[in-house]
């Protein structure tokens, strides 16, 4: 009887496990056919290296607006291919975050780009070359650094890089061919592609960290105590002594008024400990900010702590 | 354990200005300086004061600073100050007018 029950239960457990597994799995979205235009030979992408070569040959012989039009055609076509690769890559990063912790093969994608745009195989699409033209090049990456970064932070950094360079490219395309020849656009396109790679995202993050560290250091420099006058010392000593007397006499009203005048939130019927804590917090402002110092002297007078 | 905190003081200032800065900080923070030395991490000529909290009403006497050349023997200065009723509170290498000196604090 027991064996029969188990035999009945096992398929149900299996079905539940299967359901749970499928619920936890996130797949890549299907790419709309209008985006993935079947390329010659069934490859992904629609701007072939042969197209590129043809356009480049025509561009060399063209002048004026015709040259600019061909330049723009090539640039927009390659931009579209790079964008597709980037967003596909970004999706993979989010769906396979675990890869981050075990490998550095993502960098290979970037390594393939230079060759793709220069001497890739004829007939191969730019996109398929970008997608599959990975080499054995691998970079040693500090895995601990990966763990410290979230995928989102890195991809945001990559997108920021890309947006910056794309803006430059689009502005340049408004210029005539003499001012912005395809050779210059090609260099910018290579930058654009690399801006979307993991190495670029990490580099940007590192630079951001460096900038933040400098900002913090600047803030520290600003926070140095300076320009304290003899009158400042006299005034703060008088306030300190008056507060000490108020504490000793258990007459805390003026201390409370002083803190309130300095915009410090004081609870009703504060204890000495509470006031002590708030007074010490206030000292940060007084040491570093001359305006707060003047305000404190005025507040202490208004609260009748000092004359 | 008595709480300790730090304050950065501009080491480009002359000794008397730094003395006023430390006196002000002690009074404002309800604390006393227990060490004073350069702080390269906070700026090229920054000095750092470490302060120990004191109970309100127990503020120690005001500080006075003396600066000597780095590497010199402070013994004579300390003796002289003691004869005047002041004891050494701290000593350390700190910037005075942007120059590194041995700074002694007495009270």
């Amino acid at each position: 009887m027991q064996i029969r029950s188990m035999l009945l239960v096992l398929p149900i457990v299996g079905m539940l496990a299967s359901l749970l597994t499928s619920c936890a799995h996130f797949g890549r979205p299907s790419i709309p056919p209008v985006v993935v235009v079947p390329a010659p030979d069934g490859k992904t992408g629609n701007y072939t290296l042969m197209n590129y070569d043809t356009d480049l040959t025509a561009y060399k012989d063209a002048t004026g607006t015709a040259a600019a039009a061909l330049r723009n055609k090539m640039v927009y076509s390659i931009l579209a291919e790079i964008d597709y690769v980037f967003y596909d890559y970004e999706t993979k990063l989010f769906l396979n975050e675990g890869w981050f912790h075990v490998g550095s093969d993502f960098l290979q994608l970037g390594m393939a780009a230079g060759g793709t745009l220069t001497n890739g195989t004829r007939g191969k699409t730019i996109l398929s070359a970008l997608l599959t033209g990975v080499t054995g090049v691998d970079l040693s990456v500090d895995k601990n650094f990966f763990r410290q970064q979230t995928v989102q932070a890195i991809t945001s950094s990559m997108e920021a890089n890309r947006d910056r360079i794309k803006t430059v490219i689009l502005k340049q395309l408004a210029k005539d061919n003499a001012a912005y020849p395809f050779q210059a656009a090609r260099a910018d396109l290579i930058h654009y592609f690399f801006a979307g790679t993991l190495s670029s995202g990490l580099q940007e993050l590192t630079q951001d960290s460096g900038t933040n560290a400098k900002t913090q250091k600047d803030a520290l420099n600003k926070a140095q105590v300076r320009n304290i006058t003899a009158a400042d010392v006299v005034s703060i000593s008088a306030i300190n002594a008056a507060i000490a007397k108020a504490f000793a006499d258990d007459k805390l009203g003026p201390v409370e008024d002083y803190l309130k005048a300095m915009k410090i939130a004081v609870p009703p019927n504060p204890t000495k400990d509470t006031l002590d804590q708030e007074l010490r917090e206030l000292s940060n402002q007084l040491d570093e900010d001359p305006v707060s110092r003047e305000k404190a002297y005025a507040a202490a007078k208004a609260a009748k702590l000092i004359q | 354990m008595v709480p300790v905190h730090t304050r950065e003081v501009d080491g480009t200032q002359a000794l008397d200005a730094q003395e006023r800065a430390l006196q002000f900080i002690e009074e404002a923070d309800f604390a006393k300086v227990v060490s004073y030395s350069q702080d390269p991490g906070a700026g090229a000529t920054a000095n750092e004061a470490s302060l120990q909290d004191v109970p309100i009403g127990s503020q120690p006497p005001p500080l006075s600073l003396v600066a000597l050349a780095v590497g010199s023997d402070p013994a004579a200065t300390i003796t002289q100050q003691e004869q005047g009723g002041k004891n050494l509170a701290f000593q350390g290498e700190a910037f005075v007018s942007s120059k590194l000196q041995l700074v002694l604090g007495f009270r």
Side-chain angles (χ1 to χ4, degrees):
Chain A
M1 186 64 184
Q2 268 186 332
I3 292 171
R4 185 182 288 178
S5 300
M6 281 178 69
L7 285 173
L8 285 171
V9 167
L10 272 174
I12 297 168
V13 171
M15 281 171 66
L16 281 173
S18 171
L19 273 172
L20 286 171
T21 308
S22 60
C23 286
H25 178 74
F26 294 92
R28 285 171 57 193
S30 300
I31 308 298
V34 289
V35 175
V36 181
V37 180
D41 306 326
K43 293 181 175 68
T44 311
N46 66 348
Y47 191 58
T48 67
L49 288 176
M50 191 178 287
N51 295 147
Y52 170 65
D53 198 36
T54 305
D55 289 340
L56 197 58
T57 304
Y59 170 79
K60 282 172 185 166
D61 297 331
T63 55
T65 53
L70 279 165
R71 174 200 66 189
N72 292 359
K73 180 190 172 193
M74 288 187 286
V75 169
Y76 283 122
S77 299
I78 295 171
L79 274 176
E81 305 285 301
I82 293 174
D83 282 347
Y84 181 94
V85 170
F86 174 75
Y87 291 116
D88 185 63
Y89 176 51
E90 191 179 41
T91 307
K92 282 178 184 164
L93 279 182
F94 273 102
L95 294 178
N96 302 293
E97 195 175 342
W99 292 3
F100 251 37
H101 305 301
V102 291
S104 56
D105 53 339
F106 304 107
L107 295 166
Q108 293 170 347
L109 194 57
M111 295 299 122
T116 304
L117 294 180
T118 51
N119 54 5
T121 312
R122 289 171 68 84
K124 203 173 186 180
T125 66
I126 297 273
L127 180 55
S128 63
L130 288 173
L131 285 169
T132 62
V134 291
T135 65
V137 179
D138 198 356
L139 295 182
S140 173
V141 177
D142 183 350
K143 290 176 187 171
N144 289 329
F145 185 63
F146 275 123
R147 289 193 185 98
Q148 289 165 12
Q149 315 298 329
T150 65
V151 172
Q152 190 164 9
I154 295 171
T155 54
S156 295
S157 173
M158 286 153 69
E159 288 202 22
N161 276 340
R162 281 165 42 83
D163 288 347
R164 193 174 62 244
I165 297 170
K166 193 172 190 177
T167 304
V168 171
I169 293 173
L170 295 179
K171 278 185 182 171
Q172 295 283 59
L173 289 182
K175 294 180 180 172
D176 62 29
N177 186 58
Y180 188 60
F182 180 71
Q183 288 78 2
R186 181 177 167 280
D188 286 342
L189 286 168
I190 291 171
H191 282 144
Y192 183 59
F193 179 84
F194 276 97
T197 61
L198 191 59
S199 54
S200 172
L202 288 170
Q203 190 182 13
E204 181 82 6
L205 274 182
T206 310
Q207 284 171 352
D208 284 351
S209 302
T211 306
N212 289 341
K214 187 182 178 302
T215 306
Q216 284 170 3
K217 197 165 183 174
D218 288 347
L220 265 177
N221 285 335
K222 283 179 191 165
Q224 290 176 16
V225 182
R226 54 171 70 93
N227 302 327
I228 300 290
T229 65
D232 285 327
V233 178
V234 169
S235 297
I236 199 70
S237 299
I239 293 174
N240 183 306
I243 290 170
K245 187 169 187 314
F247 270 52
D249 296 346
D250 268 330
K251 292 180 178 172
L252 302 177
V255 179
E256 195 179 335
D257 292 342
Y258 166 65
L259 286 169
K260 283 178 180 169
M262 292 301 291
K263 310 287 183 206
I264 305 287
V266 181
N269 304 316
T271 62
K272 279 185 187 174
D273 283 346
T274 304
L275 293 175
D276 184 305
Q277 193 179 337
E278 299 299 347
L279 286 163
R280 291 178 195 278
E281 286 291 319
L282 176 63
S283 68
N284 282 322
Q285 290 180 38
L286 304 185
D287 290 342
E288 294 158 7
D289 179 15
V291 176
S292 289
R293 288 200 282 271
E294 292 301 326
K295 199 175 158 190
Y297 308 151
K301 281 178 188 170
K304 301 197 186 322
L305 263 179
I306 60 172
Q307 299 298 316
Chain B
M1 190 169 176
V2 182
V4 174
H5 63 280
T6 60
R7 289 279 188 259
E8 301 297 327
V9 175
D10 183 358
T12 63
Q13 300 180 115
L15 191 69
D16 61 337
Q18 293 191 46
E19 185 179 272
R20 288 196 298 274
L22 293 181
Q23 287 173 349
F24 183 93
I25 293 169
E26 286 192 329
E27 296 283 341
D29 293 18
F30 302 94
K32 63 178 180 183
V33 177
V34 291
S35 74
Y36 191 59
S37 59
Q38 60 171 319
D39 182 11
T45 53
N47 294 327
E48 184 181 75
S50 293
L51 295 112
Q52 200 174 70
D53 285 358
V54 297
I56 288 178
S58 303
Q59 201 66 42
L63 268 177
S64 60
L65 299 182
V66 175
L68 303 173
V70 172
S72 58
D73 184 357
T77 306
I78 294 170
T79 304
Q80 188 186 0
Q81 290 286 328
E82 284 176 347
Q83 286 169 352
K86 290 186 175 179
N87 294 313
L88 182 70
F90 55 83
Q91 71 176 62
E93 289 184 6
F95 289 103
V96 178
S97 301
S98 303
K99 187 181 166 193
L100 202 57
Q101 298 214 270
L102 178 64
V103 175
L104 294 88
F106 295 93
R107 66 171 93 247

